[in-house]
Amino acid sequence: MADSQLFEDTFTLTSLNAQKYDRVSRIFGTSSSNDTTFTLDVNTELYPCAVGDQVQVVLASTLSLDGSKDDGKGWREVGRGEASLADMFDYVCHGKIYRFEEGEGENMWVFRARALAMGKVFVSFGGLLLYMEGPYKKLTPLRIDYVYLLMKK
């Protein structure tokens, strides 16, 4: 994982709910290690999904391959021919982490005979929401304001 990549895992989509909106579905997934789950609203017109699909999910602080900060430069201002992390993925969003909950007490989880503190992360990508729950240690790097979501099958 590069310095700009705060979280990376492969998830299997376990269910899909497309009842509320025409082009947006809420997808649910479990990580390959079964310790992290996520719920994500996805524009399925741009990124079609099906139950059983395996998707790689990356949350990054910048799209620069060298990990340098954006410095107010938006993702649309990448120069022609200039490579970015987005070039390697099929679905990319920019959003704000609006809530991070630390696990303690009832938020402890027993995994492989060890008690793990669980963390919860809530991100909004212009109204499309991401909720992620997993080991606190794995989600701790997400204690920042803004992230890029990158996904590919």
Side-chain angles (χ1 to χ4, degrees), residues 17-37:
N17 181 348
Q19 295 175 342
K20 195 156 184 146
Y21 301 104
D22 291 336
R23 292 181 291 259
V24 175
S25 293
R26 181 159 283 175
I27 59 174
F28 303 87
T30 304
S31 69
S32 54
S33 58
N34 289 324
D35 64 350
T36 307
T37 60

Side-chain angles (χ1 to χ4, degrees), residues 10-129:
T10 301
F11 290 84
T12 300
L13 301 186
T14 55
S15 104
L16 184 113
N17 181 348
Q19 295 175 342
K20 195 156 184 146
Y21 301 104
D22 291 336
R23 292 181 291 259
V24 175
S25 293
R26 181 159 283 175
I27 59 174
F28 303 87
T30 304
S31 69
S32 54
S33 58
N34 289 324
D35 64 350
T36 307
T37 60
F38 84 103
T39 302
L40 174 66
D41 297 336
V42 173
N43 182 331
T44 50
E45 191 175 66
L46 298 175
Y47 191 72
C49 298
V51 173
D53 283 353
Q54 294 237 338
V55 293
Q56 181 184 2
V57 175
V58 173
L59 294 169
S61 58
T62 180
L63 293 178
S64 300
L65 292 174
D66 62 0
S68 61
K69 298 286 183 209
D70 288 340
D71 295 328
K73 184 171 103 172
W75 65 271
R76 295 178 188 215
E77 297 177 25
V78 175
R80 290 201 181 267
E82 187 178 334
S84 77
L85 197 56
D87 297 334
M88 295 179 246
F89 291 86
D90 303 322
Y91 189 76
V92 180
C93 296
H94 182 258
K96 178 168 179 48
I97 296 177
Y98 63 91
R99 194 159 108 202
F100 186 96
E101 292 181 4
E102 298 180 19
E104 48 186 73
E106 65 189 41
N107 290 329
M108 296 296 281
W109 186 56
V110 178
F111 181 71
R112 295 188 181 156
R114 290 191 339 232
L116 296 175
M118 297 300 286
K120 298 177 183 176
V121 177
F122 301 82
V123 187
S124 175
F125 301 98
L128 298 178
L129 303 177

